[in-house]
Amino acid sequence: MALLKDDRLFPVDPGTRGIARALYDSIRDLPILSPHGHTDPRWFAEDQPFPDPAQLFVTPDHYVFRMLCSQGVALTDLGVPRADGGPTETDGRKIWRLFAAHYHLFLGTPCQLWLDHSFQHVFGIDRRLNAETADWYYDHIADCLSRPEFRPRALFKRFNIEAIATTEAATDDLRWHRMIRDSGWDGRVITAYRPDAVIDPDMPGLAQNVELLGQQTGFDTLTWAGYLDAHRARRAYFKEFGATSSDHGHPSARTEDMAQADAAALFQKALRGACTPDEADAFRGQMLTEMARMSLEDGLVLQIHPGAARNHSAQVLAQFGRDKGFDIPRRTDYVTALRPLLNAVGMRADLTVILFTLDETSYSRELAPLAGVWPCLRLGPPWWFHDSPEGMRRFREMATETAGFYNTVGFNDDTRAFCSIPARHDVARRVDCAFLADLVATGRLAEDEAAGLAHDLTYGLAKKAYRL
Amino acid sequence: MALLKDDRLFPVDPGTRGIARALYDSIRDLPILSPHGHTDPRWFAEDQPFPDPAQLFVTPDHYVFRMLCSQGVALTDLGVPRADGGPTETDGRKIWRLFAAHYHLFLGTPCQLWLDHSFQHVFGIDRRLNAETADWYYDHIADCLSRPEFRPRALFKRFNIEAIATTEAATDDLRWHRMIRDSGWDGRVITAYRPDAVIDPDMPGLAQNVELLGQQTGFDTLTWAGYLDAHRARRAYFKEFGATSSDHGHPSARTEDMAQADAAALFQKALRGACTPDEADAFRGQMLTEMARMSLEDGLVLQIHPGAARNHSAQVLAQFGRDKGFDIPRRTDYVTALRPLLNAVGMRADLTVILFTLDETSYSRELAPLAGVWPCLRLGPPWWFHDSPEGMRRFREMATETAGFYNTVGFNDDTRAFCSIPARHDVARRVDCAFLADLVATGRLAEDEAAGLAHDLTYGLAKKAYRL
Amino acid sequence: MALLKDDRLFPVDPGTRGIARALYDSIRDLPILSPHGHTDPRWFAEDQPFPDPAQLFVTPDHYVFRMLCSQGVALTDLGVPRADGGPTETDGRKIWRLFAAHYHLFLGTPCQLWLDHSFQHVFGIDRRLNAETADWYYDHIADCLSRPEFRPRALFKRFNIEAIATTEAATDDLRWHRMIRDSGWDGRVITAYRPDAVIDPDMPGLAQNVELLGQQTGFDTLTWAGYLDAHRARRAYFKEFGATSSDHGHPSARTEDMAQADAAALFQKALRGACTPDEADAFRGQMLTEMARMSLEDGLVLQIHPGAARNHSAQVLAQFGRDKGFDIPRRTDYVTALRPLLNAVGMRADLTVILFTLDETSYSRELAPLAGVWPCLRLGPPWWFHDSPEGMRRFREMATETAGFYNTVGFNDDTRAFCSIPARHDVARRVDCAFLADLVATGRLAEDEAAGLAHDLTYGLAKKAYRL
């Protein structure tokens, strides 16, 4: 018995399902473009075996451990490392058994789709995961991981990845990307410029990070002009390692276009750690506009990922650090927030700004109307909590009628869970084909138009928007 | 001709409908658990016949009379009692005829589903209600009500209710619950602790209510410590009559965790009637956290029902009082609002906090992400205006992928309309089975998994979450 | 090959589709009631041929040119007139070719449905528009336009329009409406009273506009009382030309019911151009309540169209003026905003206030609960960005269960694109029939009830709500 049904995620009406299946068959084997994500470049640099099954599927994946946490499982019992280096579970098999015993929590979630897809397609498993099969699973996966065909580069090829972008901090030395390049391996692993830690006054260590940026670039980053030049230099360095985009994860989508003297003064305040919360938000907003101006110079695509209330639990932040599943979306405005940046550079068709949201209400009210008129804007795919079959369907239903398909950019897997990449792209391809099939079946699209769109949504739009 | 179609609310695709029907058949006869609602315990204590059809279906049901009001029918013509005791219609037949003549207003609404279900299943009616059948209906129902098998306790048994919770104010003497208990009747009717009137500075008579609370408990409720002790005592008293939960209907979901000295000072201000609107909101918020702490002591489940703008019409409030259909939902934040309570006690898995909303945008943006990680949180079912087939479908579609099924708590009928209880549970069971069937048909769930979930959504989750 | 599928927009399930088709067949030929829109009365007054295809379909239609703009096409290349009278493209064929080459941008959008419907039904075209067919299309449509049966009055009859409302500024002399009336033509073209330019302190030229209003009516509009009397007189004048409604396009839904002396003082401030943004909003809000009071005197229906952030691009506003596709929806509150007006006059069933929204989240949270109880309120159809198959479906799904069908008012095409009127009404009729069919197929409505509703949604509700 297979874990996955062949026709999963297709419409239930037999006629419409047939249309969806035909569309899917025409694009299912296209290579994967992964222009935004969080895989570790070290994997591809060193090509070492992945450690045990728990380290592959449970311990590093906040999608997984947050669900177990919600039902009272302690993060230390799942091996999540403690900030103080204190004891946490290290026995992979014990972690795996705990995971398996709670696997029913994932019924009806995209996590189960991704995990079952990985189990079936990567590891050839045909039985369900539960308390009874936990040990068998653990042994089977551990055995696979010890074999050469399960090493990162082999999986990269098997996954049919044409290009994948990782995300590095502005001050990262990109050593793993250099190692990949120097190795002569032909897998295309590129970086992306993520300067939050040298921009955000609310992140710890801003001044030190900016100082390091100065050392790396030779510019005097204690001055506003030198700071901007250092960004320019660093972006150029990232471009040497394939970067085609920058990425910005701010609490809000606020942008500013203040006078340069005012920006310079605010920068000094930020370096001194003296910004009010509003000033911090303004400075981040000013930097988005500066980044957009640099994009006009160097061609990097600008990605904005706003709207998460980070570290909702102070206790979890203190004990385990950031990115531990306690980031919660909140209401996000785009209309007022983006106006300064757009009025500065938004009519330039040679600029590409890709917008993401954690607030689905913005799709039809704000994002589609904005992307449906401003030349620089494109809509990123459903993000994070909304990267799911229902989330993808809502995105298409709410954005397409106003923005069309050609102001969107295809799919991002946005993941650090390597084995989930084919699964996530497969879900997106199926949901898109289901949506297109429904348009065909309801007379809103011809079959040949749908076929062309299926190709573009899977491959063409990502390639073009991200300049891959 | 039956009023109701056997396959109502199931998916239209024949294959998917078959799956839904099979799931429904497996759970349709499970007993009803009604862990939150507003039936009158006096019914079950005295077991007197219900008065006339208008008093049963029209006059006390704000779902019904608000719709007639929206089309210009005066509330006095529907028999709604006036605050000043002035004249209102008392002729049940006249009220019923007016209702019947406007019954088409309910086309496509859940009210019609509930009413038709009551007409058919409780009263055995097979013809539609309209101006022509009004008198026949009136006579038929009136005749039924005079018979013993239509008395409250008989209907309770016929409805297959395993347990039902009513909701009483903190200062209620629970006389009817006592009378039920003393009667030796085996129907399980329990109370729930609703202390809004002794907590909310914006409700009239707070100081007197708090004074009464002191008299009832023997604590000095003019002090903060005595006030909290009185709550503890009162909660214990409610537990004697079966209470497993407290319930809190606040304008916002705000919580606070201020220093006890500050809380004590604010409490004094509240007693003096001197709170600003913001201070009143802060005091309510502080009390939610205090209630959560008491829940850790006594095991009561904490329910939060926020977000209604009460008494939108000043004129209707003056003429008819509260709860007259003029409560309107508004935008509600949970992420910032709940942070203080959650950071105080939210990691405790032995605490259960059940969240409700009138703002559906919070499902996927806030509530599912919160419940999908905080151990204490669970999501209540769609509430009030959203307790409907489309509302239930949206809830499952927007919450399940992030929170899963096991962070939800089954269904609440939340009603004072006794005859609608089987109808409402039936709607919920059908919609859930339809949702599960769609997951099966699209390969997101196996049939045996769906069957287990159908049972849990109908029975198991409510029993566990409400500790019944 | 037809451009349009016969069964477009109907449910895909064969049984449900059959129900929808039967419902649609019963109402498809009903005459068009168009109680709110922006067609030019001059067309019907002069009955001159429409100019070239580009002037008919591209250059004046912000739905169309905003999409091309979003992909980098310059508005001047589409012939959009410049505010400074500078050069813009005037060659219709060149504009048309550019439009045709980008026609794929509209795949999946309602624009394509409207355009293809016009091409097929108005111009008898059966081939797709693209770069290859651009010239053939241009020649064919241009040839049609030169013939008498394509003149405005002939199309009016062919479109089976029973009544259409245009929208004129309060100070418009209604010369074209007079000319229509004097011509003896029997087409019913009525006006609507749109006083924004004599009300809104944020619009340029308020004082001059109010002065003109005084000249037109003989009242001293520099006084508050005279200003109100002038409105009364002007509304009466508009009624002479058939007006049954006023219309108000404000940034928010705010209403006020301040003391008359305060309103008078604020009016003076507005005339002096001295209002703060908040005072400007308050004055607009006061005028909504004044307009509602006048509606109780003269019977005009009050339409409120709030929530657009106008002219998002300062550059486009400067170069091309208003209404150039850069109006973006934003979050809109109704609950707090409408309270003053509703508490002043909302219980009057002889008043009709029709609410529109650009914020779909308000449907189930605010608008349906409000319209489901306040006697004066009705819900307008999905507006602007939401006037689309998915938008209409969401409206019905989110509003019906709480407001029912009878607190809605049928369809508005709200368009200045004349040829799109039959197309837009056809989309609405199909989507409504599809929605009703789904209710029938899921046992929520009987077929005869659905048939009655289909007629009301298409014809009866608009006729009654707009007093046509």
Side-chain angles (χ1 to χ4, degrees), chain A residues 335 339 343 364 369 372 401 406-407 441-442 444 448, chain C residues 9 17 66 70-71 128 310-312 314 360 388 390:
Chain A
V335 180
R339 208 163 190 163
N343 273 282
S364 72
E401 294 182 317
Y406 289 95
N407 286 307
T442 56
R444 287 180 274 180
D448 65 320
Chain C
L9 303 179
R17 175 164 288 193
R66 80 190 307 276
S70 79
Q71 292 274 322
R128 290 187 201 163
R310 301 274 172 180
N311 308 307
H312 203 251
E360 294 182 298
S388 63
E390 299 294 333

PDB file of all heavy atoms in Angstrom, chain A residues 335 339 343 364 369 372 401 406-407 441-442 444 448, chain C residues 9 17 66 70-71 128 310-312 314 360 388 390:
ATOM      1  N   VAL A 335      -0.659  48.976   2.178  1.00  0.00           N
ATOM      2  CA  VAL A 335      -1.042  50.122   1.351  1.00  0.00           C
ATOM      3  C   VAL A 335      -0.328  51.394   1.790  1.00  0.00           C
ATOM      4  O   VAL A 335       0.314  52.074   0.992  1.00  0.00           O
ATOM      5  CB  VAL A 335      -2.575  50.318   1.374  1.00  0.00           C
ATOM      6  CG1 VAL A 335      -2.969  51.499   0.512  1.00  0.00           C
ATOM      7  CG2 VAL A 335      -3.262  49.058   0.870  1.00  0.00           C
ATOM      8  N   ARG A 339       3.972  52.786   0.402  1.00  0.00           N
ATOM      9  CA  ARG A 339       3.837  53.987  -0.431  1.00  0.00           C
ATOM     10  C   ARG A 339       5.161  54.751  -0.616  1.00  0.00           C
ATOM     11  O   ARG A 339       5.484  55.133  -1.747  1.00  0.00           O
ATOM     12  CB  ARG A 339       2.765  54.883   0.185  1.00  0.00           C
ATOM     13  CG  ARG A 339       2.048  55.746  -0.809  1.00  0.00           C
ATOM     14  CD  ARG A 339       0.750  56.287  -0.202  1.00  0.00           C
ATOM     15  NE  ARG A 339      -0.069  56.934  -1.202  1.00  0.00           N
ATOM     16  CZ  ARG A 339      -1.358  57.213  -1.054  1.00  0.00           C
ATOM     17  NH1 ARG A 339      -1.976  56.860   0.067  1.00  0.00           N
ATOM     18  NH2 ARG A 339      -2.040  57.813  -2.009  1.00  0.00           N
ATOM     19  N   ASN A 343       6.609  55.207  -4.303  1.00  0.00           N
ATOM     20  CA  ASN A 343       6.667  56.531  -4.913  1.00  0.00           C
ATOM     21  C   ASN A 343       8.096  56.932  -5.261  1.00  0.00           C
ATOM     22  O   ASN A 343       8.320  57.773  -6.129  1.00  0.00           O
ATOM     23  CB  ASN A 343       5.977  57.572  -4.026  1.00  0.00           C
ATOM     24  CG  ASN A 343       4.480  57.634  -4.332  1.00  0.00           C
ATOM     25  OD1 ASN A 343       4.075  58.228  -5.325  1.00  0.00           O
ATOM     26  ND2 ASN A 343       3.667  56.968  -3.515  1.00  0.00           N
ATOM     27  N   SER A 364      -6.559  39.834  -1.416  1.00  0.00           N
ATOM     28  CA  SER A 364      -7.517  40.462  -2.333  1.00  0.00           C
ATOM     29  C   SER A 364      -7.691  41.937  -2.051  1.00  0.00           C
ATOM     30  O   SER A 364      -8.045  42.705  -2.930  1.00  0.00           O
ATOM     31  CB  SER A 364      -8.877  39.746  -2.264  1.00  0.00           C
ATOM     32  OG  SER A 364      -9.551  40.014  -1.055  1.00  0.00           O
ATOM     33  N   PRO A 369      -4.379  44.179  -5.675  1.00  0.00           N
ATOM     34  CA  PRO A 369      -4.535  45.514  -6.273  1.00  0.00           C
ATOM     35  C   PRO A 369      -3.211  46.265  -6.451  1.00  0.00           C
ATOM     36  O   PRO A 369      -3.029  46.968  -7.447  1.00  0.00           O
ATOM     37  CB  PRO A 369      -5.460  46.231  -5.276  1.00  0.00           C
ATOM     38  CG  PRO A 369      -6.288  45.130  -4.676  1.00  0.00           C
ATOM     39  CD  PRO A 369      -5.322  43.976  -4.556  1.00  0.00           C
ATOM     40  N   GLY A 372      -1.233  44.518  -9.198  1.00  0.00           N
ATOM     41  CA  GLY A 372      -1.956  44.653 -10.459  1.00  0.00           C
ATOM     42  C   GLY A 372      -1.826  46.006 -11.100  1.00  0.00           C
ATOM     43  O   GLY A 372      -2.463  46.257 -12.134  1.00  0.00           O
ATOM     44  N   GLU A 401      -7.749  37.120  -9.808  1.00  0.00           N
ATOM     45  CA  GLU A 401      -8.699  37.932 -10.574  1.00  0.00           C
ATOM     46  C   GLU A 401      -8.260  39.394 -10.696  1.00  0.00           C
ATOM     47  O   GLU A 401      -8.634  40.078 -11.634  1.00  0.00           O
ATOM     48  CB  GLU A 401     -10.088  37.829  -9.942  1.00  0.00           C
ATOM     49  CG  GLU A 401     -10.639  36.403 -10.057  1.00  0.00           C
ATOM     50  CD  GLU A 401     -12.027  36.271  -9.487  1.00  0.00           C
ATOM     51  OE1 GLU A 401     -12.286  36.830  -8.399  1.00  0.00           O
ATOM     52  OE2 GLU A 401     -12.869  35.600 -10.125  1.00  0.00           O
ATOM     53  N   TYR A 406       0.508  36.603 -14.146  1.00  0.00           N
ATOM     54  CA  TYR A 406       1.844  37.068 -14.537  1.00  0.00           C
ATOM     55  C   TYR A 406       2.424  38.105 -13.592  1.00  0.00           C
ATOM     56  O   TYR A 406       3.543  38.557 -13.793  1.00  0.00           O
ATOM     57  CB  TYR A 406       1.830  37.528 -15.992  1.00  0.00           C
ATOM     58  CG  TYR A 406       1.698  36.329 -16.905  1.00  0.00           C
ATOM     59  CD1 TYR A 406       0.464  35.914 -17.387  1.00  0.00           C
ATOM     60  CD2 TYR A 406       2.817  35.558 -17.195  1.00  0.00           C
ATOM     61  CE1 TYR A 406       0.341  34.773 -18.170  1.00  0.00           C
ATOM     62  CE2 TYR A 406       2.716  34.420 -17.975  1.00  0.00           C
ATOM     63  CZ  TYR A 406       1.479  34.030 -18.454  1.00  0.00           C
ATOM     64  OH  TYR A 406       1.377  32.896 -19.216  1.00  0.00           O
ATOM     65  N   ASN A 407       1.698  38.487 -12.564  1.00  0.00           N
ATOM     66  CA  ASN A 407       2.306  39.257 -11.486  1.00  0.00           C
ATOM     67  C   ASN A 407       2.641  38.375 -10.283  1.00  0.00           C
ATOM     68  O   ASN A 407       2.835  38.880  -9.189  1.00  0.00           O
ATOM     69  CB  ASN A 407       1.383  40.409 -11.069  1.00  0.00           C
ATOM     70  CG  ASN A 407       1.386  41.519 -12.117  1.00  0.00           C
ATOM     71  OD1 ASN A 407       2.446  42.010 -12.502  1.00  0.00           O
ATOM     72  ND2 ASN A 407       0.201  41.893 -12.599  1.00  0.00           N
ATOM     73  N   ALA A 441     -12.741  23.850 -16.410  1.00  0.00           N
ATOM     74  CA  ALA A 441     -14.041  23.180 -16.306  1.00  0.00           C
ATOM     75  C   ALA A 441     -15.184  24.172 -16.149  1.00  0.00           C
ATOM     76  O   ALA A 441     -16.339  23.858 -16.458  1.00  0.00           O
ATOM     77  CB  ALA A 441     -14.029  22.209 -15.121  1.00  0.00           C
ATOM     78  N   THR A 442     -14.888  25.357 -15.682  1.00  0.00           N
ATOM     79  CA  THR A 442     -15.920  26.381 -15.541  1.00  0.00           C
ATOM     80  C   THR A 442     -15.824  27.436 -16.641  1.00  0.00           C
ATOM     81  O   THR A 442     -16.379  28.529 -16.503  1.00  0.00           O
ATOM     82  CB  THR A 442     -15.837  27.064 -14.157  1.00  0.00           C
ATOM     83  OG1 THR A 442     -14.508  27.587 -13.981  1.00  0.00           O
ATOM     84  CG2 THR A 442     -16.152  26.086 -13.045  1.00  0.00           C
ATOM     85  N   ARG A 444     -13.442  29.300 -17.807  1.00  0.00           N
ATOM     86  CA  ARG A 444     -12.681  30.534 -17.632  1.00  0.00           C
ATOM     87  C   ARG A 444     -11.313  30.480 -18.281  1.00  0.00           C
ATOM     88  O   ARG A 444     -10.575  31.476 -18.251  1.00  0.00           O
ATOM     89  CB  ARG A 444     -12.555  30.854 -16.138  1.00  0.00           C
ATOM     90  CG  ARG A 444     -13.855  31.351 -15.553  1.00  0.00           C
ATOM     91  CD  ARG A 444     -13.726  31.670 -14.078  1.00  0.00           C
ATOM     92  NE  ARG A 444     -13.943  30.493 -13.248  1.00  0.00           N
ATOM     93  CZ  ARG A 444     -13.895  30.499 -11.906  1.00  0.00           C
ATOM     94  NH1 ARG A 444     -13.590  31.611 -11.270  1.00  0.00           N
ATOM     95  NH2 ARG A 444     -14.143  29.403 -11.228  1.00  0.00           N
ATOM     96  N   ASP A 448      -5.467  24.686 -23.723  1.00  0.00           N
ATOM     97  CA  ASP A 448      -4.098  25.026 -24.142  1.00  0.00           C
ATOM     98  C   ASP A 448      -3.557  26.201 -23.332  1.00  0.00           C
ATOM     99  O   ASP A 448      -2.371  26.266 -23.026  1.00  0.00           O
ATOM    100  CB  ASP A 448      -4.047  25.298 -25.647  1.00  0.00           C
ATOM    101  CG  ASP A 448      -4.854  26.511 -26.043  1.00  0.00           C
ATOM    102  OD1 ASP A 448      -5.961  26.706 -25.485  1.00  0.00           O
ATOM    103  OD2 ASP A 448      -4.388  27.292 -26.891  1.00  0.00           O
TER     104      ASP A 448
ATOM    105  N   LEU C   9     -18.954  29.115 -15.587  1.00  0.00           N
ATOM    106  CA  LEU C   9     -19.227  29.583 -14.224  1.00  0.00           C
ATOM    107  C   LEU C   9     -20.244  28.736 -13.467  1.00  0.00           C
ATOM    108  O   LEU C   9     -20.585  29.071 -12.329  1.00  0.00           O
ATOM    109  CB  LEU C   9     -19.634  31.058 -14.215  1.00  0.00           C
ATOM    110  CG  LEU C   9     -18.614  32.017 -14.835  1.00  0.00           C
ATOM    111  CD1 LEU C   9     -19.153  33.444 -14.795  1.00  0.00           C
ATOM    112  CD2 LEU C   9     -17.283  31.947 -14.106  1.00  0.00           C
ATOM    113  N   ARG C  17     -24.679  21.184 -11.867  1.00  0.00           N
ATOM    114  CA  ARG C  17     -24.638  22.018 -13.064  1.00  0.00           C
ATOM    115  C   ARG C  17     -26.012  22.064 -13.738  1.00  0.00           C
ATOM    116  O   ARG C  17     -26.438  23.134 -14.199  1.00  0.00           O
ATOM    117  CB  ARG C  17     -23.572  21.500 -14.028  1.00  0.00           C
ATOM    118  CG  ARG C  17     -23.539  22.227 -15.353  1.00  0.00           C
ATOM    119  CD  ARG C  17     -22.266  21.973 -16.141  1.00  0.00           C
ATOM    120  NE  ARG C  17     -21.127  22.648 -15.532  1.00  0.00           N
ATOM    121  CZ  ARG C  17     -19.941  22.819 -16.136  1.00  0.00           C
ATOM    122  NH1 ARG C  17     -19.742  22.352 -17.360  1.00  0.00           N
ATOM    123  NH2 ARG C  17     -18.960  23.464 -15.521  1.00  0.00           N
ATOM    124  N   ARG C  66      -4.514  49.357 -16.134  1.00  0.00           N
ATOM    125  CA  ARG C  66      -3.703  49.122 -14.926  1.00  0.00           C
ATOM    126  C   ARG C  66      -2.944  47.797 -15.038  1.00  0.00           C
ATOM    127  O   ARG C  66      -1.799  47.700 -14.590  1.00  0.00           O
ATOM    128  CB  ARG C  66      -4.557  49.196 -13.668  1.00  0.00           C
ATOM    129  CG  ARG C  66      -5.364  47.964 -13.335  1.00  0.00           C
ATOM    130  CD  ARG C  66      -6.377  48.183 -12.223  1.00  0.00           C
ATOM    131  NE  ARG C  66      -5.836  48.744 -11.008  1.00  0.00           N
ATOM    132  CZ  ARG C  66      -5.251  48.049 -10.032  1.00  0.00           C
ATOM    133  NH1 ARG C  66      -5.113  46.733 -10.157  1.00  0.00           N
ATOM    134  NH2 ARG C  66      -4.806  48.620  -8.952  1.00  0.00           N
ATOM    135  N   SER C  70       1.053  47.352 -14.977  1.00  0.00           N
ATOM    136  CA  SER C  70       1.738  46.505 -13.989  1.00  0.00           C
ATOM    137  C   SER C  70       2.869  45.699 -14.595  1.00  0.00           C
ATOM    138  O   SER C  70       3.742  45.210 -13.889  1.00  0.00           O
ATOM    139  CB  SER C  70       0.745  45.553 -13.310  1.00  0.00           C
ATOM    140  OG  SER C  70       0.454  44.436 -14.142  1.00  0.00           O
ATOM    141  N   GLN C  71       2.838  45.554 -15.932  1.00  0.00           N
ATOM    142  CA  GLN C  71       3.909  44.814 -16.610  1.00  0.00           C
ATOM    143  C   GLN C  71       4.797  45.741 -17.425  1.00  0.00           C
ATOM    144  O   GLN C  71       5.486  45.308 -18.349  1.00  0.00           O
ATOM    145  CB  GLN C  71       3.304  43.722 -17.491  1.00  0.00           C
ATOM    146  CG  GLN C  71       2.627  42.600 -16.670  1.00  0.00           C
ATOM    147  CD  GLN C  71       3.591  41.521 -16.233  1.00  0.00           C
ATOM    148  OE1 GLN C  71       4.484  41.145 -16.979  1.00  0.00           O
ATOM    149  NE2 GLN C  71       3.432  41.029 -15.010  1.00  0.00           N
ATOM    150  N   ARG C 128      -9.744  34.141 -30.959  1.00  0.00           N
ATOM    151  CA  ARG C 128      -9.120  34.762 -29.790  1.00  0.00           C
ATOM    152  C   ARG C 128      -8.322  36.000 -30.163  1.00  0.00           C
ATOM    153  O   ARG C 128      -7.745  36.078 -31.240  1.00  0.00           O
ATOM    154  CB  ARG C 128      -8.163  33.781 -29.120  1.00  0.00           C
ATOM    155  CG  ARG C 128      -8.839  32.643 -28.432  1.00  0.00           C
ATOM    156  CD  ARG C 128      -7.775  31.860 -27.664  1.00  0.00           C
ATOM    157  NE  ARG C 128      -8.229  30.504 -27.386  1.00  0.00           N
ATOM    158  CZ  ARG C 128      -7.421  29.521 -27.041  1.00  0.00           C
ATOM    159  NH1 ARG C 128      -6.114  29.746 -26.934  1.00  0.00           N
ATOM    160  NH2 ARG C 128      -7.898  28.313 -26.795  1.00  0.00           N
ATOM    161  N   ARG C 310      -6.928  56.589  -2.437  1.00  0.00           N
ATOM    162  CA  ARG C 310      -6.903  57.092  -3.815  1.00  0.00           C
ATOM    163  C   ARG C 310      -5.505  57.559  -4.216  1.00  0.00           C
ATOM    164  O   ARG C 310      -4.741  58.048  -3.396  1.00  0.00           O
ATOM    165  CB  ARG C 310      -7.864  58.283  -3.934  1.00  0.00           C
ATOM    166  CG  ARG C 310      -9.315  57.954  -3.578  1.00  0.00           C
ATOM    167  CD  ARG C 310     -10.079  57.409  -4.763  1.00  0.00           C
ATOM    168  NE  ARG C 310     -11.411  56.916  -4.341  1.00  0.00           N
ATOM    169  CZ  ARG C 310     -12.292  56.385  -5.157  1.00  0.00           C
ATOM    170  NH1 ARG C 310     -12.009  56.215  -6.442  1.00  0.00           N
ATOM    171  NH2 ARG C 310     -13.465  55.963  -4.726  1.00  0.00           N
ATOM    172  N   ASN C 311      -5.218  57.409  -5.494  1.00  0.00           N
ATOM    173  CA  ASN C 311      -4.025  58.005  -6.092  1.00  0.00           C
ATOM    174  C   ASN C 311      -2.742  57.587  -5.367  1.00  0.00           C
ATOM    175  O   ASN C 311      -1.971  58.434  -4.900  1.00  0.00           O
ATOM    176  CB  ASN C 311      -4.165  59.533  -6.102  1.00  0.00           C
ATOM    177  CG  ASN C 311      -5.479  59.958  -6.724  1.00  0.00           C
ATOM    178  OD1 ASN C 311      -5.801  59.552  -7.835  1.00  0.00           O
ATOM    179  ND2 ASN C 311      -6.258  60.751  -6.003  1.00  0.00           N
ATOM    180  N   HIS C 312      -2.541  56.294  -5.309  1.00  0.00           N
ATOM    181  CA  HIS C 312      -1.408  55.752  -4.555  1.00  0.00           C
ATOM    182  C   HIS C 312      -0.075  56.223  -5.128  1.00  0.00           C
ATOM    183  O   HIS C 312       0.893  56.385  -4.394  1.00  0.00           O
ATOM    184  CB  HIS C 312      -1.484  54.215  -4.577  1.00  0.00           C
ATOM    185  CG  HIS C 312      -0.768  53.533  -3.461  1.00  0.00           C
ATOM    186  ND1 HIS C 312       0.388  52.822  -3.641  1.00  0.00           N
ATOM    187  CD2 HIS C 312      -1.041  53.460  -2.141  1.00  0.00           C
ATOM    188  CE1 HIS C 312       0.791  52.323  -2.483  1.00  0.00           C
ATOM    189  NE2 HIS C 312      -0.057  52.686  -1.551  1.00  0.00           N
ATOM    190  N   ALA C 314       1.874  59.272  -6.556  1.00  0.00           N
ATOM    191  CA  ALA C 314       1.833  60.733  -6.709  1.00  0.00           C
ATOM    192  C   ALA C 314       2.224  61.126  -8.132  1.00  0.00           C
ATOM    193  O   ALA C 314       1.677  62.079  -8.704  1.00  0.00           O
ATOM    194  CB  ALA C 314       2.786  61.376  -5.700  1.00  0.00           C
ATOM    195  N   GLU C 360     -13.101  42.618   2.032  1.00  0.00           N
ATOM    196  CA  GLU C 360     -13.975  41.447   2.110  1.00  0.00           C
ATOM    197  C   GLU C 360     -14.076  40.863   3.512  1.00  0.00           C
ATOM    198  O   GLU C 360     -15.027  40.138   3.797  1.00  0.00           O
ATOM    199  CB  GLU C 360     -13.468  40.360   1.156  1.00  0.00           C
ATOM    200  CG  GLU C 360     -13.554  40.744  -0.308  1.00  0.00           C
ATOM    201  CD  GLU C 360     -13.080  39.605  -1.195  1.00  0.00           C
ATOM    202  OE1 GLU C 360     -11.892  39.221  -1.080  1.00  0.00           O
ATOM    203  OE2 GLU C 360     -13.884  39.084  -1.981  1.00  0.00           O
ATOM    204  N   SER C 388     -16.327  39.957  -9.448  1.00  0.00           N
ATOM    205  CA  SER C 388     -15.658  38.870 -10.171  1.00  0.00           C
ATOM    206  C   SER C 388     -16.287  37.568  -9.703  1.00  0.00           C
ATOM    207  O   SER C 388     -16.935  37.528  -8.660  1.00  0.00           O
ATOM    208  CB  SER C 388     -14.171  38.868  -9.806  1.00  0.00           C
ATOM    209  OG  SER C 388     -14.020  38.603  -8.417  1.00  0.00           O
ATOM    210  N   GLU C 390     -15.071  34.810  -8.330  1.00  0.00           N
ATOM    211  CA  GLU C 390     -14.672  34.392  -6.986  1.00  0.00           C
ATOM    212  C   GLU C 390     -15.150  35.398  -5.944  1.00  0.00           C
ATOM    213  O   GLU C 390     -15.558  35.036  -4.836  1.00  0.00           O
ATOM    214  CB  GLU C 390     -13.141  34.230  -6.889  1.00  0.00           C
ATOM    215  CG  GLU C 390     -12.546  33.176  -7.817  1.00  0.00           C
ATOM    216  CD  GLU C 390     -12.979  31.766  -7.495  1.00  0.00           C
ATOM    217  OE1 GLU C 390     -13.294  31.497  -6.333  1.00  0.00           O
ATOM    218  OE2 GLU C 390     -13.016  30.937  -8.423  1.00  0.00           O
TER     219      GLU C 390
END
